[in-house]
Amino acid sequence: CTLSMRIAFLRQFHSNLWFSGAQIQALQMAEALRNLGVTVEFVGADCRAESYDVLHVFGLYAEYLPIIHQYRRRGVSVVVSPIFFKDVSTLLKRVLAAAAPGWGSFSRVYRIQREILRNADALLPNTQAEAQFVGRYFRLRCPMIVVPNGVDPRFAAGEPRLFRQTFGIEGDFVLNIGRIERRKNQWRLIQALRGTGLPLVVIGECISRKYGLRCQQVRGAEVQFLPALPHDSPLLASAYAACRVFALPSLLETPGLAALEAGVAGARIVVTPYGGAPEYFQAFARYPNPRSVKAIRAAILEAWDAPHDAEAQSQFLLSRYTWNAVAQQACQAYHQVIGRLHADCGM
């Protein structure tokens, strides 16, 4: 990286103790870039655009658009990590996604999202799957440079005892970490494990009271709900280290940071096939249909009993997806756009 390069990061303005994946991605990448000697600052609407070489936008939020226009008018290159995928787990949803360029003109949200993307000099999707989906969904043609999600190597060194002692958990168990909501699919996961005898620990903030009640209604004695853990808590790394199987059969992930963290910790991984996870885990995970309780159950039971090389899996992921490696790729992307005339992403 060019040490004099100055990068502005634009991420969601609101935040809480338990960040979303997009917020974690921005924070971790910023730290890794600073470790490489790059100046990175988080900005809002009132920052001076002239002092930056690149504006890096995380997500497609409406409040970003006037800020992006401000930076472009002042000659700053713009790159966007879309962090965008739609649920395509049914035929109807796939048809609707394919028809988006047609109905999108009637949707204010779609028009704003497309305008954000069209004002980018390059898009930095997390996977090839996301790149292809974004291109089709918004009918775009602009440079796309895959910059994957990363993982903190500290998750490879978690101590199981801390989590077990804190919450009184003994023996092997299946772990799910994520906000309790429809997209994360805990309702089907809980049903999938009923009658199997496998304990399930669900860690996360319930953001949908109605969905949370549905999950509670189908739970058995073998299901334990725990509150969300801060991302920097030693208990989080300990939870990954303590579980036998990590299950994230979401309707989509882009992909889930929690699955990467659990994978580095050596847990057996069961994750959705939708959103690009197979590009990361390859043969080290199982990918059930998230809408099939039967398929989720079969994948978890298979993962539970199958031979497993935790060390090989951890080293495979660490060799590709540390935040340091991701920051190097982001630097290369910044260099490609600096000084280039603004791209036309329309078709």
Side-chain angles (χ1 to χ4, degrees):
C1 275
T2 301
L3 298 186
S4 60
M5 188 160 52
R6 295 176 60 85
I7 311 298
F9 270 25
L10 183 61
R11 66 178 175 92
Q12 287 172 282
F13 302 136
H14 64 276
S15 63
N16 54 34
L17 185 59
W18 301 285
F19 294 130
S20 68
Q23 292 169 315
I24 293 172
Q25 181 180 346
L27 289 169
Q28 296 280 1
M29 187 181 292
E31 182 180 356
L33 285 166
R34 289 167 183 151
N35 290 339
L36 296 176
V38 179
T39 299
V40 180
E41 296 177 3
F42 287 91
V43 301
D46 55 348
C47 273
R48 292 192 309 117
E50 298 95 331
S51 60
Y52 300 103
D53 299 298
V54 176
L55 174 69
H56 189 159
V57 178
F58 292 83
L60 304 179
Y61 302 100
E63 62 265 32
Y64 290 174
L65 191 54
I67 302 172
I68 293 170
H69 284 155
Q70 174 188 353
Y71 276 72
R72 286 203 64 161
R73 283 195 299 269
R74 299 184 182 183
V76 178
S77 298
V78 176
V79 299
V80 176
S81 292
I83 316 177
F84 184 88
F85 221 98
K86 287 291 186 180
D87 179 2
V88 290
S89 58
T90 69
L91 177 59
L92 176 59
K93 290 181 181 296
R94 288 192 289 273
V95 170
L96 288 173
W103 58 254
S105 60
F106 302 99
S107 166
R108 179 177 178 273
V109 171
Y110 180 94
R111 293 197 306 269
I112 290 174
Q113 290 175 333
R114 190 168 191 268
E115 185 67 13
I116 290 172
L117 294 167
R118 289 192 63 182
N119 276 275
D121 294 285
L123 305 185
L124 310 185
N126 293 150
T127 61
Q128 289 290 348
E130 184 188 6
Q132 293 167 11
F133 183 83
V134 168
R136 292 194 304 266
Y137 190 84
F138 292 103
R139 194 173 288 175
L140 299 172
R141 57 174 188 190
C142 57
M144 295 207 192
I145 306 166
V146 173
V147 176
N149 261 330
V151 64
D152 192 325
R154 71 182 173 88
F155 289 107
E159 169 51 57
R161 186 182 310 169
L162 176 63
F163 180 77
R164 293 187 180 279
Q165 290 180 345
T166 301
F167 296 105
I169 295 174
E170 299 179 357
D172 290 331
F173 61 93
V174 178
L175 178 64
N176 172 270
I177 294 181
R179 293 176 176 178
I180 299 173
E181 59 175 329
R182 177 183 169 275
R183 181 172 73 86
K184 294 294 186 178
N185 209 28
Q186 287 96 346
W187 181 67
R188 288 189 180 88
L189 172 61
I190 292 168
Q191 292 185 86
L193 293 182
R194 290 179 66 176
T196 64
L198 302 186
L200 171 63
V201 176
V202 179
I203 299 176
E205 180 183 17
C206 184
I207 64 171
S208 169
R209 183 174 180 273
K210 182 178 179 181
Y211 189 78
L213 287 174
R214 288 184 68 193
C215 292
Q216 293 287 351
Q217 289 168 356
V218 298
R219 68 178 290 193
E222 72 283 357
V223 181
Q224 184 171 355
F225 286 89
L226 299 177
L229 297 172
H231 191 253
D232 59 356
S233 170
L235 281 170
L236 183 59
S238 180
Y240 291 133
C243 75
R244 184 176 179 91
V245 174
F246 181 83
L248 194 68
S250 309
L251 298 181
L252 68 100
E253 292 287 347
T254 59
L257 288 177
L260 272 175
E261 291 161 359
V264 165
R268 296 161 166 86
I269 302 298
V270 175
V271 67
T272 182
Y274 299 115
E279 293 180 35
Y280 287 66
F281 296 101
Q282 299 184 23
F284 287 104
R286 290 162 178 81
Y287 309 98
N289 176 357
R291 291 190 175 273
S292 169
V293 170
K294 182 178 179 180
I296 296 170
R297 179 188 298 119
I300 292 174
L301 290 174
E302 181 182 323
W304 186 277
D305 291 327
H308 179 60
D309 191 336
E311 180 65 22
Q313 173 182 290
S314 181
Q315 289 305 312
F316 174 83
L317 295 173
L318 287 173
S319 68
R320 291 163 171 79
Y321 302 116
T322 62
W323 284 113
N324 180 63
V326 169
Q328 293 281 2
Q329 294 180 58
C331 275
Q332 293 173 15
Y334 300 151
H335 279 297
Q336 289 184 45
V337 301
I338 289 175
R340 178 197 296 169
L341 290 176
H342 289 309
D344 179 5
C345 288
M347 283 189 74

